[in-house]
Every structure is written in C-alpha cells, then in structure tokens.
Amino acid sequence: MDSPNVLLLLTTLSLAVSSAISGSVVEDLANLQPPSDFNTTVMKNCQHDPSLRYCNSSSVDLKEIFKFTIVASHLCNESKNPNCVQSFDKIDLRNRPKMAPLYLSYSFFWKYCPLTIFSINLSNNSLKGSFPTEVLCCAQIQALDLSLNGLAGEFPIESFSPLTNLTSLNLSYNYFSESKISDSRFFKRFNASCFIHSGILPSHRNFTIKAIFVLVGFPIFVVFMVVCFGWLCFQRPDFLPRMFQRKHKFTPSMLRAATNGFSRKNQIVRSDGVEIYKGTIRDGTEVRIEIYRDCISREKRKEFVEECKVLVELCHKNLVQVLGWCNNRNKRAIVTEWTDGETIEMWLSDSAPPWKHRLKILAGVVDGMRYLQEHWPEVVYDIRIDSVLLTDKHEPLLSRFQVGDQYRNNKKIHWFGIFLLEIITNRRSQEFERGEAGFIEHVRENYPENLHKVIDARMKLPENIFDQAKHGIELGLMCTDQSISKHPSLDQISHMINKVYESCLELAPQNHKRSHGDGGKGHKHLQ
C-alpha cells in the first residue's frame, strides 16, 4: 500500500479507536464522524495516487470514505494480513459464517475496494441467495473462492468480463442454475474442479437429453395437439375460438353437455322417436333441443341438413329462432331458442284473455306469416293454437317449420282461418265428431244470428266490440271456404286485422268511461 493511503488508514483508525473499542468499531459505524481535517487528508491522498477508487468517484462523500477506511482496517486485520500498515493483499473470511455476511453488506467498502487486494476467500460460510456481485467491484483480483455455500440462481458470467486478472475461481458446492452451452468459452479459463457440484457447468449429457426430447417429444406434442384440436373440431367445437367454430352445427357431445347428459330433469317431452329437452349451451343461452331418434337414409339426412340451413336464416320477432342442428347417423336434432311462455291453447284456457289481447295475437301471427311468404315462400309452418307459443310480452311465436311441402303451403290461409275461429270461440276442432269440418259447420250454422252461442262468453263484449268479433268470425269463414279462389290474401287479412285492432284500441277508453257512467250496470271489460 502507498504511504499516503497508509497514512489515511492510520489516521482514521486512531480516531476510531479513540471513540470505541476495537471489537465494536465496525458495529458503531453509524455513530462515527470524520475528523475536521479529513477532507484535506483525502485530497492529499488523491494528489499522490489518483488511481484510488474514491478519487475517481463523481461525487466525494467524506462520510462514506471515512467508513470505508474503518471497515478496511478491521477487515485487513480479520483476514490476518501480516502487516496491514504496509499492505492489504487478501480478504480471507473462510469459515466465518457470522462475519462474512456482515462485511458483504457494506456496499461502500466494495465500492472503494483497495487496489492492493488480489485474493478474496468467502468459502464455507453458508451464504444464501444469489451471487454476491459486490465482490466483483474488486476487478483487479486474481483469486476468488465462494465454495461450500448455498448460493443459487443465475451465475453472472457477463459481470466477470472486467476481471481480466482472475486466474483462480472456485464455485464448487453451490446451487447455481445451469449455464448455456454458448457460455462454455468462459469455463475454459478454469479447471473443471473449480465447479464441482456447483450446478453451473453446462451438461452435455443434459443437452443431449434435451435435444432428444425436442426431436422426439416435440413431434409427439404436435401430434397430441393435432389430435386434441381434431377432437374439439368434431366433438366440442364450442370450445374453439369463434373463428374456428362451425356456425349452426351442433354435435351429440355438445347436446349431451347442454342437457347434463340428457338427464330426466332436462327432459320436457318423450314420445316414439322424439325427445324434447331444455338445455344451456356453452355461451349461456337457454335452448330447446328436439331430438329425432330414427334411422333414415343418407339422402334424407342431406335433405334434413338443407332444410335446417334455410330455417337458421329465419329472423323475425314472431318466429322462434332456429339456432342450429345436429346431423348424426343415429341422432338428428334441431336446436331453437328457449321460450318460457305458454302455448296459445293454454293461454286461452287459463286466463280468459280480453278481445284486445286476442287481436294482438292474431296481428302478430299474420305478421310472421307475411314475412315467411315474402322472404321464404318455401317454408311452411304450423299455426295450430297448441303449437304457437306466447312470450311474457304477449308476442306470438310460430315454432314449427318445414321446407318444401308446396301442398301444405297452399293451405296456410285455411289453417289461419281455423286458428282465428278457435281464438274467438275458445273451441277446438278436436271437440267435434267430424274434426275441422264439424267445427266450421258449427260456426256457419250459428252465423250471423246466433253468434252469442259461438263467441267466447268470457270476454263479455259490449255491442260495438261484439261487432268486431262478428267481423272476425266472417273473416275466419272466408279463410276456411272450400273454394281457394274465395280466400283473402295475407295482405288483405293483415289489413283487416290491424284495422280492427286499431279501432279496438280507440274504443277501449270510451267503453271504460261508459261503464263508469252507468254506475257499473254495463258489461265488465278485461283490459
């Protein structure tokens, strides 16, 4: 060590000892203050030897430099250097598990590490955590020993670049992470014995195993992923991103998942060849699943799919939305939106709805029929009162469709006539011995003189509203006339019903006032 540096060490040491005993000086660093002339001493040292590390610091912290000299003096003696006044050649704290972590914590010492130190030994101290990069501030060292500790994590190979004089390195018996094969040039500087059980040496055997795993395992992984993707595509495409899903197509696995394995709790109807379930598909939508358990030819299955492709395109407020289909060898199904409402038949029987509400139902049904006639003339439908559904907002929904039966399509006006008469009378054609023919004959026999025997008496219609119901009966008889040429068109039917409905809405307030004006002696009105 040069004489100015020795002078500095001796000066600070003597000052420190004057305020604390030698064994506790390091522990009392926070309470020590540099002497008044310490700045002059530092400046003289830097003028004599500009290479000193604290001389090259961008900002001179006298208190920090003072603490450095104290720690350097103690560490020199702890390391058993022969003559600390003359030189500080080594840091030797091996087998000192209590002292080593303490000195490593003094970052200011390593920041100004004395240039005379050429060897650092911190072995067998049970050090934990990552590599103590502080020691690398002593870039001039020739030997470093950190063996027999518990150091772990990444080994900072790049940080060793400035240590050009380092010829002896011992990192054995630690738990570092394995280095990359590309870092093997660094380890050629040292003997393999320097890294025994350190975990740091790149293992060619492990590299070979990894290479084999990549060459063999990766293709297997790819095959596995392809198989999984294929299974999802054909069994559960609803798990795929939307761009990969097959729109409107449901698989048996999707239906099974939606109905909790076709559980009895989800089953609504069961008959020969047909089962109806309530289910919830993966996106949370509640659906009605109608399953046909029959065996049909391949051609029939193709026709079924083509029919479904048309039905999923239907979009109208008075039509139940068809969401998709399932076409399997032993199982076909149509999936539609779920409607909590009841059928028109149940509604008529249970609630005795007023005339105004019945007209609204008729207007909605005709609106749906007109949409189908204009946009999808090949689609026929069922408008019996036991198949038309009713939403909680009293909107009717046509729920049963079929494609391509032109004969049935020609009878749609006739069917609507039956539907209209049943709405007004609350009677079913099944109640009559001759079915529809008997029902129509019964209405004709009482038209127009005895309509009070035909019209649903529960409505309790006043005279002006009764005339509207009479016109409704007349329209129903026109629609069911055996001569198709006498049938009104859907546009004419729509115009008549909407006109009557608007008139009913205008008359309703007047009838309400009249019922209060006569002291309640008039008919009751269900609004």
Side-chain angles (χ1 to χ4, degrees):
M1 182 181 291
D2 53 83
S3 56
N5 202 21
V6 173
L7 178 60
L8 178 58
L9 282 173
L10 291 176
T11 302
T12 56
L13 182 58
S14 62
L15 289 169
V17 173
S18 66
S19 62
I21 60 173
S22 177
S24 62
V25 170
V26 174
E27 299 174 1
D28 295 338
L29 285 176
N31 300 322
L32 297 178
Q33 297 295 329
S36 57
D37 60 344
F38 188 71
N39 184 33
T40 304
T41 304
V42 171
M43 292 179 63
K44 288 181 179 180
N45 282 346
C46 291
Q47 290 175 358
H48 184 270
D49 188 358
S51 65
L52 293 173
R53 283 196 168 90
Y54 54 74
C55 297
N56 298 318
S57 179
S58 58
S59 61
V60 178
D61 187 337
L62 293 179
K63 190 173 182 179
E64 194 176 64
I65 297 174
F66 179 70
K67 290 192 291 183
F68 155 72
T69 60
I70 297 294
V71 171
S73 176
H74 278 261
L75 184 54
C76 182
N77 288 302
E78 288 285 349
S79 300
K80 298 180 181 179
N81 285 280
N83 188 355
C84 288
V85 175
Q86 296 296 327
S87 65
F88 185 179
D89 299 330
K90 64 180 180 178
I91 296 176
D92 188 354
L93 292 175
R94 56 184 141 180
N95 305 317
R96 306 289 297 276
K98 293 184 178 180
M99 298 298 295
L102 178 65
Y103 282 105
L104 282 174
S105 67
Y106 295 139
S107 59
F108 54 83
F109 168 77
W110 302 102
K111 177 181 177 181
Y112 303 124
C113 177
L115 296 173
T116 58
I117 296 175
F118 294 104
S119 173
I120 299 176
N121 190 334
L122 299 173
S123 62
N124 197 25
N125 281 308
S126 300
L127 297 175
K128 305 295 182 182
S130 59
F131 185 93
T133 53
E134 298 86 355
V135 301
L136 301 184
C137 292
C138 301
Q140 76 284 352
I141 60 172
Q142 300 173 0
L144 175 61
D145 192 343
L146 289 169
S147 61
L148 298 169
N149 284 297
L151 300 174
E154 295 292 331
F155 178 67
I157 290 179
E158 294 181 358
S159 299
F160 276 75
S161 299
L163 278 67
T164 55
N165 298 324
L166 186 65
T167 56
S168 175
L169 176 65
N170 192 354
L171 300 174
S172 301
Y173 300 98
N174 281 288
Y175 305 100
F176 294 110
S177 301
E178 183 178 328
S179 298
K180 302 174 184 178
I181 293 293
S182 58
D183 296 327
S184 58
R185 291 183 59 186
F186 170 81
F187 301 103
K188 292 179 180 179
R189 294 171 53 185
F190 311 99
N191 192 288
S193 61
C194 300
F195 309 103
I196 297 174
H197 296 296
S198 65
I200 196 173
L201 280 178
S203 172
H204 290 277
R205 178 175 176 274
N206 290 343
F207 177 77
T208 303
I209 293 174
K210 291 178 182 178
I212 293 174
F213 175 78
V214 171
L215 294 176
V216 177
F218 182 72
I220 294 175
F221 173 76
V222 171
V223 171
F224 175 75
M225 292 302 296
V226 170
V227 171
C228 289
F229 186 78
W231 183 86
L232 287 175
C233 287
F234 291 101
Q235 298 295 325
R236 293 301 303 274
D238 51 329
F239 278 100
L240 296 173
R242 189 172 296 275
M243 61 183 296
F244 294 113
Q245 293 182 17
R246 295 176 293 175
K247 194 175 182 181
H248 304 305
K249 293 182 180 179
F250 290 82
T251 65
S253 296
M254 291 171 65
L255 301 184
R256 186 178 296 106
T259 59
N260 294 318
F262 301 112
S263 69
R264 290 185 178 181
K265 291 182 179 180
N266 291 69
Q267 193 175 73
I268 309 298
V269 175
R270 182 184 177 90
S271 60
D272 293 338
V274 179
E275 297 176 7
I276 298 177
Y277 292 87
K278 178 181 179 180
T280 304
I281 56 179
R282 191 167 181 272
D283 64 2
T285 303
E286 290 188 334
V287 294
R288 179 181 184 272
I289 303 173
E290 188 168 330
I291 299 175
Y292 309 97
R293 298 186 182 276
D294 54 2
C295 294
I296 59 176
S297 65
R298 182 176 297 180
E299 287 299 320
K300 290 291 184 182
R301 288 208 305 273
K302 288 183 179 179
E303 291 177 6
F304 169 75
V305 172
E306 293 303 316
E307 181 176 331
C308 291
K309 288 181 179 178
V310 173
L311 299 182
V312 295
E313 297 296 327
L314 304 182
C315 183
H316 190 272
K317 68 172 183 172
N318 295 117
L319 305 181
V320 168
Q321 185 179 0
V322 179
L323 301 177
W325 69 90
C326 173
N327 181 33
N328 190 262
R329 184 171 300 176
N330 299 318
K331 184 184 298 180
R332 293 178 299 125
I334 292 181
V335 181
T336 62
E337 64 175 332
W338 177 262
T339 304
D340 286 320
E342 55 194 352
T343 64
I344 299 296
E345 182 178 33
M346 296 167 60
W347 177 66
L348 286 172
S349 301
D350 298 340
S351 61
W355 173 241
K356 178 178 66 175
H357 290 173
R358 301 187 196 211
L359 282 174
K360 182 180 180 181
I361 298 304
L362 292 169
V365 169
V366 173
D367 200 16
M369 293 173 65
R370 291 180 66 202
Y371 165 79
L372 291 173
Q373 178 176 273
E374 181 178 351
H375 299 282
W376 305 96
E378 69 274 28
V379 176
V380 292
Y381 37 85
D382 188 348
I383 53 172
R384 292 176 299 178
I385 61 173
D386 61 349
S387 64
V388 178
L389 303 177
L390 191 65
T391 69
D392 54 1
K393 295 182 179 179
H394 289 118
E395 284 289 349
L397 295 174
L398 305 184
S399 62
R400 295 184 179 276
F401 311 99
Q402 189 175 347
V403 177
D405 192 337
Q406 195 62 37
Y407 170 74
R408 294 186 68 191
N409 201 31
N410 290 333
K411 295 193 67 177
K412 60 190 174 186
I413 301 298
H414 174 83
W415 290 340
F416 178 77
I418 298 294
F419 181 82
L420 171 58
L421 294 176
E422 290 183 339
I423 286 284
I424 298 175
T425 65
N426 192 31
R427 298 290 299 273
R428 313 290 177 267
S429 58
Q430 297 91 329
E431 300 175 16
F432 297 85
E433 184 177 350
R434 294 174 55 208
E436 287 185 4
F439 175 51
I440 296 170
E441 183 179 349
H442 168 71
V443 176
R444 287 189 185 278
E445 288 176 351
N446 291 282
Y447 177 81
E449 289 81 4
N450 299 315
L451 283 182
H452 63 277
K453 295 181 179 180
V454 176
I455 294 175
D456 188 359
R458 297 176 304 166
M459 288 191 288
K460 299 180 180 180
L461 301 174
E463 185 177 351
N464 53 355
I465 298 296
F466 188 88
D467 288 339
Q468 292 183 353
K470 178 182 176 181
H471 289 306
I473 293 287
E474 182 181 359
L475 178 60
L477 292 175
M478 290 173 60
C479 293
T480 55
D481 195 287
Q482 292 183 353
S483 175
I484 297 179
S485 61
K486 295 183 180 180
H487 289 176
S489 67
L490 272 179
D491 288 338
Q492 291 172 328
I493 294 172
S494 176
H495 176 73
M496 294 178 194
I497 290 179
N498 283 304
K499 185 176 180 180
V500 172
Y501 182 48
E502 292 172 3
S503 175
C504 179
L505 295 178
E506 293 174 359
L507 290 174
Q510 299 176 14
N511 292 329
H512 184 70
K513 292 178 181 178
R514 189 179 306 163
S515 66
H516 287 279
D518 61 11
K521 296 179 182 179
H523 296 289
K524 294 181 180 179
H525 303 278
L526 298 176
Q527 299 300 326

